[in-house]
Amino acid sequence: MSLYFLAVETSCDETAAAVFTDEPVVLANVVASQTDLHARFGGVVPEVAARAHLQRLLPVIDEALRKAGVRLDQVGAVAVHNTPGLVGALLVGVSAAKMLAVVLGVPLIAVNHVEAHVYAARLAAGHDIFPCVGLVVSGGHTSLFHCPGPLEFELLGATLDDAAGEAFDKVAALLGLGFPGGPAVEREAAGGDATAFRFPRSFLHDDRLDFSFSGLKTAVLYACFGQDGKSPLSLPPGRTRPDVAASFQQAVIDVLVEKARRALRRTGLKRLAVGGGVAANRPFRAALERMAADEGAELFIPPLALCTDNAAMAAQAVEKWRRRLWAPPDLDARPNYGA
Ligand code: KG4
Ligand code: ZN
């Protein structure tokens, strides 16, 4: 008989719950996006996010259980992303998960949201993918890992400033494309020429596996509006905006793909698992596929719905459950990765 896990995700601006088995097989994956609430502010407002989680989490959990056809009293373990993220937002999920685990008398399992983005690739594959190189490209993180096993994450490199997703969001704001930025930039870029602007590819020829995207964002700002700050804050009409979007997107893709290639070579591994919201970007996925084929490596990249934030990727909890790695009753929310 299967063990049923109920998982909760509230680290940023998606209120999410999922039900999966110990295999793991996902039975339900419900995500209530808060995009509508944050769009008018042009970014996620932490307090608004936390309040919305409070209002939405129980209905989202109910819906996940209903879709899975699992009653609350059949749940055998509760999993929650407790780090990293917005602390007020994380606390809502952590408090709810603790309460459920206590009331049901079942183990509570803490899952790291960044590691879970890599685990989403394992979940989608339906079989073991470790050891592998893990690449997480999200709104808050851009990190490369050596992952000998499903619970072992050795950092190979990370962004020293902005995350790739954050750069997409900021460039979208510069170009007047709205929020959330990633999908909007991808749509705009589809009609543009990626060679029109030569934007910087930071650290591309550097041996380190670290990233930097803040210079790229500034280069886009200067290309659009000039360096003197006196130019009008609007783009010339015509093809400029799609060309800027496409050239920016290509610069991000070139760096991410090349660093992932180096991580494969350095570790000698032939498996690459990619996750996080930016992994939903189609030209990026296509470039990764070409690189992996070049390197004779297998690429594991989840379908779009498992790239952006969700609770199903907390199925990494299954690995912890097998090793009896329960969370303590005083489990806290930790905003920083690795802190
Ligand atoms: O993983 P995620 O949903 O949340 C975090 O953990 O941060 O990632 C969100 C980020 C945002 O910055 C968003 O703009 C970006 O992923 N994103 C994309 C695309 N879809 C989402 N970036 C580029 N292209 C996309 N299609
Ligand atoms: Zn995420």
Side-chain angles (χ1 to χ4, degrees), residues 204-227:
L204 186 62
H205 302 295
D206 190 312
D207 255 3
R208 283 180 300 173
L209 293 173
D210 291 323
F211 303 88
S212 165
F213 294 106
S214 73
L216 170 60
K217 172 196 65 191
T218 308
V220 173
L221 173 72
Y222 288 166
C224 296
F225 308 119
Q227 295 196 23

Side-chain angles (χ1 to χ4, degrees), residues 113 117 138-140 165-166 168-169 181-183 186 276-278 280-281 307-309:
H113 178 102
H117 271 306
S138 69
E166 192 179 353
F168 268 96
D169 294 333
E186 181 181 345
V278 180
N281 184 282
C307 288
T308 47
D309 285 349

